[in-house]
Amino acid sequence: MNKRVLVKFSGEALAGADGYGIDTQILDYIANEIKELVNNNIEVGIVIGGGNIIRGVTAAADGVIKRTSADYMGMLATVINGIAMQEALEHKGLNARLQTAIKMEQLAEPFIVRKAQRHLEKGRVVIFSAGTGNPYFTTDTAATLRATEIDACMLIKATKVDGVYDKDPMKYENAVKLDTITYDKALEDHIRVMDDTAIALAKDNQLPIVVANMNEKGNLLKIVNGDYSKCSIVK
Ligand code: UDP
C-alpha cells in the first residue's frame, strides 16, 4: 500500500513578499515539491488556508461584519487558493481534484471522503478547500480532520520555520528546536504554529503532526522517507 500524507499550507505562504494575494512563483515551487512526492508513489492530500486573502477574526474585529459571515468569507478565500493550487499542479502534469466543504459544483467537487480516497488511490492530488465548512474553525483543524478521514499517516504542516522551538526563535537567539513534542506539552504551551483544537483532534486520533520548513527544498519527501532533521514532530 502506498503511503498517504496530508500537507497543510497556510494562505500566507502563497503571498510572497507583498504579504497579500497569490505569488505564482511560490505556487510553482509548491507544485514541484508535491510532484516529488507523487513521483515517489506517495498519495497526497492538500489543505490550504486563506490568510493571504481574509481571516475571519480580523475581518470581524470592528464588529461591522459578523464573525460567522467573516468566517464564511475566509472559507471562500481558501477556495480561491485551491483553484490556483489545482492549476499549478496540473501545470506540472499532475492530476489534481479540488473538493469543497461548501457546495459550489460549478467550481469543484463537493467533499466526499470516499471519492477523495478513490482519487488518492489513482495518484491524483486532492485539494480540500472551504475548511471544515463551519465558522469558528481554522484550516489547521480542517487539515487534521481531513488527514484523519483519509487515513493519512501524518499531517505535515508546511511553514516558514524549521519546527517547534522551546521559545520564540525570533526573539531569543538561544531558542532550541525540539525534535519531538508530546500532544499534551504542545497543548500546555499553546504552541503558536498550530491551534489547540487541531492538536486536540490529532491527539484523539493519534495523528502525528510534522511541523516543517517548506522553503527547504526536498524537505517534504525527506520527511515522508523518515528523515526528520528539518522538522519537529508533535505526537
Ligand atoms: N475558516 C472557517 N472554518 C474553517 C476553516 C477556515 O471559518 O473550518 C475561516 C476562518 O475565518 C479563517 C479563514 O477561513 O480565518 C482562513 O483560514 P485560516 O485562517 O486557517 O488560514 P491560514 O492561517 O492557514 O492562512
Side-chain angles (χ1 to χ4, degrees):
M1 215 171 97
N2 289 337
K3 260 192 191 158
R4 183 175 290 174
V5 298
L6 192 297
V7 189
K8 155 83 207 289
F9 296 95
S10 74
E12 252 172 32
L14 305 185
D18 307 346
Y20 184 81
I22 299 170
D23 181 327
T24 49
Q25 289 309 301
I26 295 181
L27 265 188
D28 194 62
Y29 168 83
I30 292 176
N32 257 328
E33 293 294 286
I34 299 295
K35 189 172 182 177
E36 286 270 287
L37 297 178
V38 175
N39 284 350
N40 283 275
N41 294 323
I42 294 153
E43 297 174 3
V44 188
I46 297 179
V47 167
I48 318 181
N52 54 324
I53 300 171
I54 192 164
R55 275 211 178 87
V57 179
T58 319
D62 66 4
V64 174
I65 302 174
K66 277 201 214 80
R67 172 68 192 272
T68 45
S69 295
D71 277 342
Y72 279 112
M73 291 160 72
M75 287 184 259
L76 293 180
T78 72
V79 180
I80 295 176
N81 287 334
I83 295 171
M85 179 60 76
Q86 180 173 244
E87 287 296 321
L89 293 169
E90 289 188 340
H91 183 65
K92 292 275 166 235
L94 297 172
N95 288 312
R97 292 289 187 279
L98 178 65
Q99 294 200 341
T100 54
I102 297 170
K103 274 192 189 169
M104 40 187 107
E105 287 170 60
Q106 282 81 357
L107 290 180
E109 289 177 2
F111 167 65
I112 298 172
V113 70
R114 294 172 75 101
K115 213 162 178 184
Q117 306 255 25
R118 193 80 189 106
H119 289 318
L120 292 165
E121 282 161 12
K122 288 186 171 173
R124 298 174 187 145
V125 178
V126 183
I127 305 159
F128 301 101
S129 67
T132 61
N134 300 288
Y136 298 100
F137 287 96
T138 63
T139 45
D140 278 356
T141 302
T144 310
L145 182 62
R146 296 294 179 244
T148 308
E149 286 176 287
I150 63 166
D151 291 320
C153 64
M154 64 176 83
L155 160 60
I156 304 178
K157 164 118 191 201
T159 67
K160 290 176 182 168
V161 291
D162 279 339
V164 182
Y165 286 77
D166 63 342
K167 41 185 173 285
D168 188 347
M170 300 295 181
K171 284 191 200 151
Y172 301 94
E173 252 180 43
N174 62 347
V176 178
K177 182 173 82 71
L178 307 168
D179 291 337
T180 58
I181 173 166
T182 63
Y183 298 116
D184 288 335
K185 179 79 177 139
L187 286 169
E188 191 186 311
D189 291 357
H190 302 293
I191 55 167
R192 277 175 40 195
V193 77
M194 196 86 186
D195 67 69
D196 289 353
T197 312
I199 296 169
L201 186 61
K203 180 186 171 196
D204 282 351
N205 295 293
Q206 291 299 300
L207 171 75
I209 303 169
V210 180
V211 178
N213 191 340
M214 63 169 258
N215 297 319
E216 190 79 29
K217 209 168 178 312
N219 205 17
L220 295 182
L221 184 59
K222 271 193 199 160
I223 288 166
V224 178
N225 287 334
D227 175 350
Y228 298 120
S229 55
K230 293 278 184 209
C231 65
S232 299
I233 308 173
V234 183
K235 62 178 187 182

